Amino acid sequence: MEKSEDRRVIKTKKAIRNAFARLLSEKELGDITVSDIAEYADINRKTFYNYYAGVHEVVYEIEDEIARSFGGALSTLELSSVDNAAYFVFERLTSVINTDIDFYGQMFSMRGNVSMLTKIVDIMKDKARPYFTELFGLEGDRLEVIMEFTFSGLISVYQRWFNSDRSTPIEEISSVITKLVISGIGGFPERN
């Protein structure tokens, strides 16, 4: 009996989250109300309040889950060389997003969602810090600046690609980013 209750909770929370994601394509975050979400999720407001105190609690839970998903995808990351780093990070992020591309598409297109992107960047930096230290011999402030620049830029490029028509293959974008990371860290931008 307990398992069916768990399924109902999961199903209801998923309906709330999907309703919220759909509403993001129509409204700004600040304009989304509990009534809007309840209507789209086909539940009543009381049911919504059984799970969340308000709209921002839905946002925080989604942000935390996305950050955990990205962190989990990167937890087994093995960056044995600089050449494959960006490609493998992109590949892992893509695999997470492909689990629910419509939902993630709405979340990544949400304007002003700095909190989610900051959490993702912070997780990526934590996972990559030992590799950057080992591969590049970097530490301290220099390491932190390079990682912030690299991963914030990586997420920004990924977000732009994800919200485009995706006509450029992800492999090509990964290749460009990898060359940029190598050239930027080496201090000698590649010249054509």
Side-chain angles (χ1 to χ4, degrees):
M1 185 69 175
E2 203 172 303
K3 286 186 179 184
S4 65
E5 288 176 347
D6 289 345
R7 283 189 210 140
R8 283 190 298 240
V9 169
I10 291 167
K11 184 178 177 182
T12 302
K13 288 182 97 174
K14 185 173 182 171
I16 290 169
R17 293 159 41 100
N18 287 339
F20 172 77
R22 280 196 318 255
L23 283 162
L24 284 175
S25 66
E26 300 172 10
K27 297 181 170 192
E28 293 293 324
L29 176 61
D31 295 332
I32 297 174
T33 66
V34 170
S35 295
D36 294 334
I37 294 171
E39 183 179 329
Y40 268 76
D42 198 24
I43 60 171
N44 61 45
R45 288 171 44 93
K46 183 178 186 241
T47 300
F48 176 92
Y49 286 116
N50 285 337
Y51 300 104
Y52 301 101
V55 174
H56 287 291
E57 195 171 298
V58 176
V59 174
Y60 298 142
E61 183 177 287
I62 290 170
E63 289 174 350
D64 287 344
E65 182 181 314
I66 290 172
R68 277 193 311 274
S69 295
F70 279 45
L74 297 176
S75 66
T76 59
L77 194 60
E78 292 290 332
L79 302 179
S80 57
S81 75
V82 178
D83 297 337
N84 67 8
Y87 175 78
F88 285 114
V89 169
F90 259 92
E91 181 183 65
R92 300 280 169 91
L93 298 182
T94 301
S95 70
V96 168
I97 286 174
N98 282 336
T99 63
D100 194 347
I101 200 157
D102 293 333
F103 174 75
Y104 282 103
Q106 294 300 329
M107 292 308 297
F108 270 95
S109 66
M110 190 168 99
R111 283 169 277 189
N113 193 3
V114 176
S115 178
M116 179 184 73
L117 299 178
T118 299
K119 287 178 185 179
I120 292 169
V121 167
D122 287 345
I123 284 173
M124 292 172 73
K125 288 188 323 187
D126 288 344
K127 300 292 182 186
R129 189 171 281 109
Y131 297 105
F132 270 58
T133 301
E134 184 179 331
L135 290 173
F136 305 118
L138 297 169
E139 55 187 39
D141 287 342
R142 180 177 260 179
L143 171 63
E144 294 306 316
V145 168
I146 290 170
M147 286 197 324
E148 184 70 34
F149 180 82
T150 301
F151 290 113
S152 293
L154 182 73
I155 289 296
S156 180
V157 169
Y158 190 83
Q159 185 179 24
R160 182 178 175 149
W161 173 82
F162 192 76
N163 289 302
S164 72
D165 63 4
R166 298 183 214 138
S167 59
T168 305
I170 192 69
E171 294 80 11
E172 185 178 326
I173 291 175
S174 296
S175 175
V176 168
I177 289 174
T178 299
K179 288 177 186 174
L180 180 61
V181 168
I182 293 167
S183 297
I185 291 173
F188 301 101
E190 187 175 284
R191 300 178 199 268
N192 291 332

